[in-house]
Amino acid sequence: MDYDIIIIGAGPGGYEMAAEAARQGLNTAIVERGFVGGTCLNHGCIPTKALCHCAQVLRSVRSAAAYGIECGTVTADYSAAARHKAAVVEQLRQGVAQLMSAPGITLVQGEASIAGAHTVSIDGGKHTLTASHIVIATGSEPRNLPIPGADLTMSSGEALAMTSLPQRMCVIGGGVIGMEFAGIFAAYGVEVTVVEYCKEILPPFDKDVAKRLRTVLQKQGVKFITQAAVTAIGRTASGLTVSYDLKGKPQQLECQKALMAVGRKPVLPEGLEQAGVAVGRRGIEVDSHMMTSVPGIYAIGDVNGQCMLAHAATAQGMVALAHITGKESSVKLGIVPSAVFTQPELAMVGLTEEQCKAQELDVTVKKGFFRSNGKALSMGETDGLVKMIVSNADRTIVGCHICGPHASDLIQEVVMAMNAGSTVGDLAAAIHGHPTLSEAVQAVARQF
């Protein structure tokens, strides 16, 4: 064998696994057809967060007068924000490239396909690599609705490539990607309309926090049309027409650009069927060790469809590596936080109240609001709540949902408590600094 491990895809799952495998002394090859860093770094998490921060700064400057700071006429140059985004991406990309040049790692540029249980073909057979283990980490790509004119819309990657913004934008899909872009565009004065198929935005999130975020975004100028099925996209002299059915009634709206944000689908490398790798409805099928139906071949991250989050891909890579090296993994893949980087932020971990009811779990639910938190009040960011769900059987935390300032950071305290099996009493008893936003989490824990 040429290598101990061949990893296909240099996204967060792939490059983190390669780095750790090399640290453990495994001779590792990682194959990437594009830029290192994957979708997350180049077309997803990082560039959108850079623009989300630009939007947050813009809103802060506009509200500075409330704190005695006069800024005069505030102008916003989106092209400058785009340059900031590009600079952040390039710096991090260079960091990943340097990481992949470490001893024990061979970075191979090219298109990989599976040629057998231990063989990877590069660029259609120009050369092959062999290894004891193969890890597929090829990620995902934007999904399109199967409707006429879908090709007239932008993907999230194309939206990130813009250096100027239209006057009117339609965002098709009220998920995480759609909400982050809606918040960014609205901050820069774009007339944004979100068309969502479900009754509420962010279907995987708890309805209480999703509704709270929608209300705040409406105050920021974002319009929402829910329970609407987009049926077609048409071209007009000035832009596009988005046709949709609203509770059975055909409707239309006009915009200059439309963003298709209805989810993502796995990118499957060639050769899976011939190699005997089973693929299901969500993606490549794997067991609890991330191994596919073919011993020695693993699949991590978006490509297996279990949890399409960058940090989940990294965690799955650690689980797969532990299995490859014959070690026990301490990673708990059932406890994965997720966040939406709007203003305010949304974050969650565990089950929603709706899921608990569907599973007939015996739980208690409590809420608290940021308007009673001293730090949030001093910051002028009082919109939002903390919602906690606790098992009545053992008082462990089943789920937590936060809408508010720095929610993506605050949720990690609950993640740690759940990971350690701590009770809600343990969380309530832990001394929290004052005044801090974390007291909002503690205040809810004390209600149980």
Side-chain angles (χ1 to χ4, degrees):
M1 298 293 177
D2 297 322
Y3 298 96
D4 296 313
I5 302 176
I6 298 172
I7 301 170
I8 304 174
Y15 76 71
E16 292 276 12
M17 184 179 183
E20 181 58 31
R23 279 192 286 267
Q24 294 187 29
L26 276 67
N27 188 17
T28 304
I30 184 163
V31 186
E32 175 55 55
R33 65 182 181 182
F35 290 118
V36 294
T39 294
C40 176
L41 172 51
N42 296 288
H43 311 293
C45 322
I46 298 301
T48 52
K49 301 317 164 278
L51 292 177
C52 284
H53 181 69
C54 291
Q56 182 178 2
V57 171
L58 180 55
R59 290 193 178 97
S60 296
V61 172
R62 285 173 175 162
S63 62
Y67 305 95
I69 303 170
E70 297 295 338
C71 299
T73 302
V74 178
T75 59
D77 181 359
Y78 187 77
S79 65
R83 289 193 296 273
H84 166 70
K85 171 212 67 180
V88 170
V89 169
E90 180 58 29
Q91 181 175 338
L92 290 174
R93 188 189 290 155
Q94 290 177 7
V96 175
Q98 184 175 359
L99 185 65
M100 293 300 94
S101 67
I105 302 175
T106 301
L107 175 62
V108 179
Q109 289 290 154
E111 181 86 29
S113 59
I114 306 298
H118 302 287
T119 306
V120 172
S121 175
I122 308 297
D123 290 337
K126 289 183 178 179
H127 62 282
T128 59
L129 305 174
T130 59
S132 302
H133 305 89
I134 296 172
V135 180
I136 303 169
T138 45
S140 62
E141 62 186 1
R143 188 188 299 274
N144 262 3
L145 291 176
I147 58 173
D151 58 317
L152 299 176
T153 65
M154 294 188 301
S155 68
S156 54
E158 291 167 331
L160 285 169
M162 291 192 300
T163 56
S164 62
L165 297 177
Q167 182 181 349
R168 296 186 305 279
M169 167 77 75
C170 175
V171 176
I172 303 170
V176 174
I177 296 171
M179 290 304 92
E180 290 183 349
F181 275 109
I184 293 166
F185 296 149
Y188 281 87
V190 179
E191 297 175 22
V192 181
T193 301
V194 177
V195 182
E196 165 58 39
Y197 179 78
C198 295
K199 188 175 181 180
E200 186 57 90
I201 63 169
L202 298 167
F205 281 73
D206 192 275
K207 285 185 172 57
D208 279 342
V209 294
K211 181 180 179 181
R212 179 59 65 103
L213 178 64
R214 176 172 54 79
T215 301
V216 177
L217 289 178
Q218 284 174 327
K219 294 178 183 177
Q220 295 174 6
V222 180
K223 298 178 182 178
F224 291 91
I225 302 172
T226 57
Q227 295 180 280
V230 176
T231 56
I233 311 294
R235 193 185 296 279
T236 66
S238 59
L240 301 173
T241 297
V242 178
S243 300
Y244 59 95
D245 283 339
L246 180 60
K247 300 179 181 179
K249 296 181 181 179
Q251 306 280 346
Q252 283 188 338
L253 68 86
E254 293 187 356
C255 57
Q256 291 170 305
K257 298 284 186 180
L259 167 64
M260 185 72 75
V262 294
R264 300 180 64 84
K265 59 182 179 180
V267 173
L268 303 175
E270 296 290 333
L272 293 177
E273 184 177 356
Q274 294 86 338
V277 176
V279 179
R281 183 179 60 85
R282 297 170 60 185
I284 297 175
E285 295 182 349
V286 295
D287 63 13
S288 60
H289 305 294
M290 302 298 115
M291 190 162 69
T292 69
S293 55
V294 178
I297 299 182
Y298 297 76
I300 64 171
D302 289 9
V303 75
N304 66 35
Q306 291 193 352
C307 182
M308 289 192 171
L309 295 169
H311 46 282
T314 299
Q316 290 176 12
M318 297 304 106
V319 169
L321 183 59
H323 190 249
I324 289 169
T325 55
K327 300 174 182 176
E328 284 290 327
S329 172
S330 59
V331 177
K332 297 180 181 178
L333 293 176
I335 305 174
V336 182
S338 57
V340 187
F341 291 86
T342 46
Q343 189 177 3
E345 293 180 351
L346 233 65
M348 67 167 284
V349 64
L351 299 178
T352 65
E353 184 177 3
E354 294 78 23
Q355 289 171 327
C356 290
K357 289 179 180 177
Q359 297 178 31
E360 298 182 346
L361 299 181
D362 183 19
V363 298
T364 297
V365 180
K366 298 291 184 180
K367 302 176 189 177
F369 299 90
F370 279 97
R371 60 176 177 262
S372 59
N373 178 270
K375 180 67 177 294
L377 192 62
S378 66
M379 295 166 60
E381 296 189 41
T382 56
D383 280 319
L385 59 87
V386 177
K387 180 176 181 178
M388 199 173 293
I389 306 170
V390 171
S391 167
N392 289 329
D394 57 10
R395 289 176 56 80
T396 56
I397 301 168
V398 175
C400 184
H401 310 270
I402 305 174
C403 175
H406 297 280
S408 61
D409 302 310
L410 295 175
I411 199 68
Q412 200 59 40
E413 176 179 13
V414 183
V415 172
M416 287 296 294
M418 293 176 66
N419 210 62
S422 302
T423 67
V424 70
D426 295 328
L427 181 57
I431 299 174
H432 288 60
H434 175 76
T436 63
L437 295 172
S438 66
E439 289 176 290
V441 178
Q442 183 190 37
V444 177
R446 283 175 169 171
Q447 295 181 38
F448 289 92

